[in-house]
Amino acid sequence: MQSQDVAPRPAPASGSAADPVVDVEQAEAALVEHYPRLVRIAYLVLPPGLGRGRRVLTAHALTQRALPRGRKATPVIPAQSAGREGDPGYAFVRLQVVRTALEAGLPLRRLAWPKRSQLPPLLPQVWGLRLFPRSGGADELALDQRLSAMSGPGRAAHVLRGLEKLPDGDVREVLAAAGVTDVDAALDEAAGVDTASAEDRYALLESPEFDPCSLQARPTDLMRRRQHMKAALAAAAAVAVCGALLGMPGDGWGPDGAAAPAYAQNPAAQAALDPALLLKVPAAAWESSARTDFSVWPARGDLTGDSALLRRALAVWARPGETVQVSATPGTPSGGPAGPPQLLYAGTVDNARVVILYDGLRIVRYAEPLGSTKGAALDFARVDGADRAEASAVVLGRADGNIRYLTAPWVTKAAERDLLKPGSGAMDLTLSDGTTAPMAGPAQSGACTSWNVLQLTDASGTRLLTDLGELVPARLTTGRPGSVKDASGAGALRAWAPYACSLGAMRSSGVRAVNAWGYASQPLPDASGSADWVCTRGETWQGGGERVLAQFHTPGSTYGAVAAKAENVPACGAKDPQVLAGVLWKSGTGSWYLLAAGSRGTSSIGATGGVKGSARGNLLAVKASQGAQAELKGTLEDGRAVSGLR
């Protein structure tokens, strides 16, 4: 469970027993959020003698290996944090990065096993390219030369001072915890670089010259690589011939029963590659059909008669080449079609030719640049069981942060709306043969100041869909699990507004619908109003990997705070519409409280660990101390026990 961001906590440096427990999930969240900064720290601390290319790969490898090994930890309710320095997860991962970067600079010793960080990284690996950061100016070159002349601990001290803005006391603790034996010498050495122009030198640490996440690529030795490739191909051919000779019994590779030989042509597979056999549904078929899903979409677009384009799309689907960029939502098979698929769209979208196909299980999008077949992309999305609302739109293309959609034939109106601003109204989008005008997509990175969603209207009503980075946008709903409805009215829009930015946690997970359920309202102990407890649950197309977030929203706050999260749990779902979550909250008078709320039907809640207390009903408010750790248990009216979501 996590709490709102209201007060910083000291980051653990020495690993004492009093320090907060850091579990894998907390450390992973910090690593993902601050990954570019952690890799920059590793790159600056690593010895320049490794060379820029190896320093880049080693910095990424050390950062990716910085997670704790143990997966057992005490469930905690951490206090609210004010940035990186208040996050124990970030402090732990940064310490690991500094420690391993210093170890990588140690000389190898005879008769002693080298540490893993002293060896070339196994992952990540790049073949055929040399990667290195962009070159800076004379100031960056001078700073790099000064850092090259310093020892590893000296570089680490300078980076912690200048890049992390740590005071000397904290720098001492981090260096000591990283295994530096002479901390004073390291600080003195760093002081030799921290001259009167220290602020300028510190600013240079943020330069692209030292950013191993923004890279340039150049080829390796092409002649040597060609020689190696010829030798590898010859060896592979020899192995294949030997394997064929050793593995071929009298009847071939093995008994395949009544199957035809492997080289025989399968009629259904051949038919799936013939553009003339593509299924094209009549434009008015949906009006009389009992089905309202992708199977009644007509074929649209200005290139539905381009047999050459359709043949390429089918061939790439069946046999994608090495240069084709293939992506699939979780749980979606990426094999070829079993028979002739249905054509939904073939046309020009911005600077690409796009073909969208449907085989009853998947939506497949083929795209190639105009005037070329190089750089083709193939995307798969699972859509089996889609209903009228979920089969309302498909992404045609993305360009410059904008999205174009292809809408269902029953859609009569399309609009764009900012989910963070429920009162701002919707902006109409032009519909041309089912294709929308480009609309701004949701925020991808940085501060979340808007979250644009697609609003569609048909004879059955209005609904909202949000792009989560996949072919099919996710449907947004509100209400108690089992009786949800589309988020279309003014009340539903206000209910979603504080939690819109949390949708970013569900990107690229195969999510088909996200429901926001306000399960409790809790009066705050300082009488400043009532806080709302909302559970957002993302259901997936594959039927597993559901993501659940319990969120806490106080009066006057723009955003809700994620108090707890879980995956693959029935909580907040139709099968088990129950949830219990807690958060540490700081009142306006500076007092800390453990606040917890359960859904309707919770008869009592108890807290154990660093905070002890209990209450009848579905609400709990107990005085606590900053950084306290607690575990929640609840009892339902039918006698069943429920644990706090975490």
Side-chain angles (χ1 to χ4, degrees), residues 12-243:
S14 59
S16 66
D19 290 339
V21 176
V22 177
D23 57 17
V24 175
E25 289 77 13
Q26 188 177 6
E28 182 183 21
L31 189 148
V32 172
E33 181 179 1
H34 304 293
Y35 184 83
R37 190 174 196 88
L38 291 166
V39 177
R40 185 187 290 264
I41 292 173
Y43 182 85
L44 288 166
V45 176
L46 283 169
L50 293 177
R52 300 175 73 193
R54 181 171 167 185
R55 280 172 71 193
V56 167
L57 296 180
T58 302
H60 283 274
L62 297 182
T63 304
Q64 294 171 15
R65 295 202 303 263
L67 292 179
R69 295 181 182 275
R71 287 188 173 270
K72 294 181 179 179
T74 303
V76 299
I77 304 177
Q80 297 159 303
S81 163
R84 298 185 310 275
E85 298 309 319
D87 184 0
Y90 176 77
F92 176 89
V93 175
R94 179 181 63 193
L95 175 59
Q96 295 298 106
V97 168
V98 172
R99 177 186 290 121
T100 53
L102 290 174
E103 290 175 352
L106 297 176
L108 296 175
R109 298 179 180 178
R110 291 185 179 181
L111 304 179
W113 287 102
K115 295 181 179 293
R116 185 179 180 185
S117 55
Q118 293 177 280
L119 301 174
L122 296 177
L123 291 174
Q125 285 286 351
V126 178
W127 297 91
L129 287 174
R130 292 185 296 110
L131 301 178
F132 48 89
R134 299 181 179 277
S135 299
D139 293 336
E140 287 86 349
L141 178 61
L143 178 59
D144 191 48
Q145 292 173 345
R146 295 290 297 273
L147 293 176
S148 301
M150 298 172 65
S151 65
R155 285 192 299 273
H158 181 69
V159 171
L160 292 173
R161 275 177 172 174
L163 189 63
E164 292 294 272
K165 312 298 183 187
L166 294 182
D168 282 359
D170 291 347
V171 174
R172 287 177 180 275
E173 291 185 6
V174 175
L175 292 180
V180 176
T181 56
D182 195 346
V183 175
D184 291 332
L187 290 171
D188 292 340
E189 188 176 12
V193 179
D194 303 339
T195 61
S197 58
E199 292 299 326
D200 295 335
R201 295 186 184 277
Y202 289 161
L204 291 176
L205 295 175
E206 301 277 0
S207 167
E209 170 81 10
F210 308 111
D211 183 7
C213 291
S214 178
L215 303 172
Q216 291 180 315
R218 294 293 184 271
T220 56
D221 189 329
L222 299 179
M223 292 301 297
R224 180 179 297 177
R225 190 170 71 189
R226 183 178 298 176
Q227 295 170 356
H228 290 175
M229 287 296 295
K230 290 180 179 179
L233 289 174
V239 170
V241 171
C242 292

Side-chain angles (χ1 to χ4, degrees), residues 34 49 120 188 215 256 307 410 418 429 514 587 599 636:
H34 304 293
D188 292 340
L215 303 172
D256 289 331
S307 297
W410 51 82
D418 187 351
L429 293 173
V514 186
S587 70
S599 53
L636 303 180

